[in-house]
């Protein structure tokens, strides 16, 4: 009897250990498990047994969703197919954010445009409530024709934005020179499709054509290899942080990644706050020294 009890206890401990290790890697691709539609009165839909999520916008309302989990560091990938055709005035936002006046935030925003003109990919990073760190890009493909993978790698060293595995932006931890860095506040994933024709397309000159509504963006293959934060505790233990599957926790751009980043920024970046002399006549923000 004692032997059986010990075996049962060992099996239970093994199961708990396995569950604990699995907590780090959130299951991929099932939006029923990972996301909640939070607004839009039915305009957000989870389809195909949880493998597809769509957000829609019409003249009455847009729609949005958020992750069930909060994360404190992670590598988060999602495939998006953006609103096709004349999407002027619309914005598809996909971002990580905490709450409150000193919130942290990591943003992808896709600014719609007239049919045939390129989307603008807008990025920003907030730390301790301070943002205004915009970089904008054109994409080297049509983001409405098919799904493409948009990734955020967030670890204690840096935040790396990537598109189809190609890094487009890196925001390094610059606490050593007095710049706050997002590292203490757990963040949820949010996404929304909404009307912003007062500013989104050519500064608000081009308005939303509601005859083309409803506008729809699609999502699939969500994956978060991340530290889930719950009740002040993280699923990343000291042992899990050292495992091979969590190499992202200390990952930095290698020489190949740096080369690809420079290629994107040379050929496709259309705005960089770190070079906007008119905006910062008294000198650029401190973190620009590390760019």
């Amino acid at each position: 009897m004692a032997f059986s009890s010990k075996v049962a206890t060992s099996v239970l401990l093994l199961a708990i250990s396995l569950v604990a290790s699995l907590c780090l890697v959130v299951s991929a691709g099932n939006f029923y498990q990972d996301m909640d539609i939070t607004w839009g009165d039915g305009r957000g839909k989870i389809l195909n047994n949880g493998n597809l999520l769509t957000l829609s916008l019409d003249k009455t309302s847009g729609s949005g969703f958020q992750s069930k989990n909060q994360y404190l560091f992670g590598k988060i990938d999602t495939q998006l197919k953006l609103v096709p055709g004349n999407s002027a005035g619309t914005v598809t936002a996909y971002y990580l954010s905490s709450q409150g006046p000193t919130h942290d935030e990591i943003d992808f925003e896709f600014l719609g445009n007239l049919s045939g003109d390129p989307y603008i990919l807008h990025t920003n990073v907030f730390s301790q409530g301070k943002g205004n760190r915009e970089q904008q890009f054109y994409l080297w493909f049509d983001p409405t024709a098919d799904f493409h993978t948009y990734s955020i790698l967030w670890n204690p060293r840096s935040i790396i934005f990537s598109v189809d595995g190609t890094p487009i932006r890196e925001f390094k931890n610059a606490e050593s020179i007095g710049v706050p860095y997002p590292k203490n506040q757990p963040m949820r994933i949010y996404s929304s499709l909404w009307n912003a024709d007062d500013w989104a397309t050519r500064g608000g000159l081009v308005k939303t054509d509601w005859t083309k509504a409803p506008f729809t963006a699609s999502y699939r293959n969500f994956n978060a290899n991340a530290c889930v934060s719950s009740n002040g505790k993280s699923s990343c233990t000291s042992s899990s942080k050292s495992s091979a599957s969590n190499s992202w926790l200390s990952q930095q751009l290698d020489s190949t990644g740096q080369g690809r980043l420079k290629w994107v920024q040379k050929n496709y970046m259309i705005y960089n706050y770190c070079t906007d002399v008119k905006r910062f006549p008294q000198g650029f923000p401190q973190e620009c020294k590390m760019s």
Side-chain angles (χ1 to χ4, degrees):
M1 221 27 206
F3 178 77
S4 298
S5 177
K6 286 181 180 178
V7 170
T9 302
S10 297
V11 170
L12 179 60
L13 289 172
L14 177 60
I16 290 171
S17 175
L18 285 171
V19 169
S21 65
L22 287 171
C23 281
L24 188 65
V25 184
V26 177
S27 60
N30 193 304
F31 289 110
Y32 283 123
Q33 293 178 6
D34 298 326
M35 301 296 175
D36 290 318
I37 306 288
T38 47
W39 64 283
D41 195 22
R43 290 171 180 82
K45 293 182 172 66
I46 297 176
L47 307 165
N48 295 0
N49 298 317
N51 293 316
L52 180 70
L53 189 154
T54 61
L55 296 181
S56 292
L57 162 71
D58 58 32
K59 200 166 185 177
T60 302
S61 178
S63 51
F65 66 84
Q66 70 179 44
S67 61
K68 294 179 187 291
N69 287 320
Q70 297 186 85
Y71 306 100
L72 187 60
F73 304 127
K75 184 178 187 303
I76 295 163
D77 308 297
T78 308
Q79 291 192 323
L80 278 74
K81 182 162 69 171
L82 298 177
V83 174
N86 180 0
S87 59
T90 72
V91 172
T92 305
Y94 179 76
Y95 59 103
L96 286 161
S97 184
S98 59
Q99 299 297 309
T102 58
H103 76 292
D104 296 332
E105 190 172 319
I106 304 169
D107 292 340
F108 275 119
E109 288 188 286
F110 302 89
L111 312 185
N113 220 324
L114 292 170
S115 182
D117 288 346
Y119 260 79
I120 291 174
L121 172 50
H122 176 99
T123 66
N124 203 353
V125 176
F126 287 74
S127 53
Q128 293 294 305
K130 180 184 180 299
N132 300 319
R133 300 184 174 103
E134 301 90 347
Q135 290 184 359
Q136 295 183 337
F137 307 82
Y138 287 142
L139 294 167
W140 48 96
F141 52 84
D142 178 358
T144 73
D146 204 349
F147 286 90
H148 292 269
T149 302
Y150 301 91
S151 305
I152 294 168
L153 171 66
W154 168 37
N155 66 29
R157 297 185 178 190
S158 63
I159 296 163
I160 300 170
F161 298 76
S162 298
V163 178
D164 289 337
T166 295
I168 64 169
R169 176 176 185 176
E170 181 180 27
F171 182 81
K172 295 179 180 178
N173 185 332
E175 289 179 304
S176 61
I177 54 173
V179 180
Y181 183 79
K183 67 173 188 178
N184 297 315
Q185 300 186 66
M187 296 196 264
R188 290 189 194 276
I189 297 162
Y190 297 88
S191 189
S192 57
L193 174 57
W194 49 290
N195 179 42
D197 67 3
D198 56 333
W199 65 271
T201 307
R202 293 183 59 202
L205 293 177
V206 183
K207 301 300 182 182
T208 304
D209 181 357
W210 293 112
T211 67
K212 301 295 192 293
F215 304 98
T216 301
S218 302
Y219 303 72
R220 72 180 187 190
N221 291 344
F222 167 76
N223 186 68
N225 189 355
C227 302
V228 176
S229 180
S230 179
N231 298 320
K233 295 181 180 179
S234 172
S235 64
C236 289
T237 63
S238 56
S239 59
S240 68
K241 286 179 181 179
S242 63
S243 70
S245 63
N246 305 317
S247 58
W248 57 265
L249 262 169
S250 57
Q251 185 176 335
Q252 299 182 84
L253 288 178
D254 58 16
S255 57
T256 301
Q258 290 285 358
R260 294 167 80 186
L261 177 71
K262 289 176 181 177
W263 173 80
V264 171
Q265 296 196 341
K266 178 182 177 182
N267 294 286
Y268 295 98
M269 180 184 280
I270 58 172
Y271 178 79
N272 181 5
Y273 77 109
C274 281
T275 60
D276 191 339
V277 177
K278 290 183 180 179
R279 188 174 173 187
F280 301 106
Q282 305 304 316
F284 294 117
Q286 284 288 92
E287 68 269 14
C288 294
K289 297 173 182 178
M290 297 182 69
S291 296

